[in-house]
Amino acid sequence: MPTSPWQIRRAQPHNPPATPRVPNIAGSSSSTTSTSSSSSTGGGSSSPTDVGVLTSSALGAQASGSCSWESENCMTSRCCRREGFQCFKHDDMVAGCSPTCPNGTACEVLGGSQEARVLAPATPSANTSMFCFSVVTPAGHVAAGVQKGYEQELLDMMRARQLGIFSCNASGVYQGKVAKTGDWQSVVNTGIFLSVWQQIKEEGTYKRFDWIVKVDLDAVFLPERLRMHLISLRAPANSAVYLQNIDFHFHFQGALEVISSRAVDIFVNNAQDCATNIGLNGGEDFFTMQCLDALGVAHMTDYSLLYDKYSQGPGWNLFDIDNCTNQGLVAMHPFKAVNSWLGCWKVANGVQVPDDFVSCQGAWDGDACSLNGGVQGHPEQPLGDGIVFKK
């Protein structure tokens, strides 16, 4: 991003935006991909659909294709790609996009940011084939009580049992790198994930499917539930759209990112513009959302897709499985041990109930446990899976 809006080219407009978050990830390098025999009707394009789009008003808002990045001259477009930015006039030849008046004094405002795009349900609606992927970082950052290398253990378990991403139509696993830590327990992992997205672009497997789903390995992900949600949402066929997934913060937490194939086309083909203008100093989920918005990709909302403990107040436990009883959820996060991940999966699928587990007050680190009940644990007993009453 230029140090001043006036340090810009003297011409044309362009496309996209961004913000931060609190994941537990990292990510990029080699990959493995597997595909089932299920059929699909994926898609690809370079511009979003206008079918059923509703908009929120903004000063001088225009279609995304005609709005400008902050590195561009907005004199002609009079419109900025990033939400909250305005096009400020510098002189008769140059104007720049900025969140505030660059001179610190009164500025002439030529226009505001482009309109947000919300996609309405439609018929025909998109099919539900899915390419799902995760990024594994064997030596990533871990919290207290979490075993280093837990991501690889989770991955091996899911692959062996064909759970999580391995029960999608196709799946990919990509190698990550250790990310820097940022503010408020966040991880600065945008650059790492952009490398992963570049690899996904080069492989091209995603183009055969309707939806691309990025899943954190410590999220208990149930693809068949996602399929039912997609059927209910009725996203227009061949539309460029992503799903807001939780009623928290900026509504797009990275544990479960659901993006249409056409939207991924737009994202991967313009990611460098987003990186140049938005920057890489934050979480990948906020960056992805802002980039998609800036590129004119619409969104739909389903706040029942994800339960994320990071959205809760004080008092939650990494290994607590109580909220896995909610049958409407597609993913529950985080569960940073094989035992607790499987405990949540069993509760979600009705194999066990929370009262079958030890209380979190006396559980070993990594054991599935219940905060709201459960059986009092016995510290002298060896580490198990937390399940007291097997079914």
Side-chain angles (χ1 to χ4, degrees), residues 274-325:
C274 290
T276 298
N277 289 278
I278 296 170
L280 304 178
N281 295 320
E284 60 81 26
D285 50 1
F286 188 75
F287 173 90
T288 300
M289 183 195 73
Q290 287 227 313
C291 181
L292 291 169
D293 286 345
L295 293 169
V297 172
H299 70 265
M300 299 180 79
T301 298
D302 184 349
Y303 290 158
S304 62
L305 288 175
L306 174 66
Y307 172 79
D308 199 319
K309 294 177 184 178
Y310 290 131
S311 69
Q312 306 301 300
W316 57 269
N317 185 289
L318 269 177
F319 310 114
D320 171 41
I321 47 75
D322 288 340
N323 282 288
C324 302
T325 57

Side-chain angles (χ1 to χ4, degrees), residues 211-224:
W211 298 92
I212 286 67
V213 186
K214 175 257 177 183
V215 186
D216 282 4
L217 282 167
D218 59 350
V220 179
F221 169 52
L222 304 168
E224 283 308 310

Side-chain angles (χ1 to χ4, degrees), residues 52-65:
V53 172
L54 309 175
T55 60
S56 61
S57 60
L59 176 63
Q62 298 180 18
S64 64

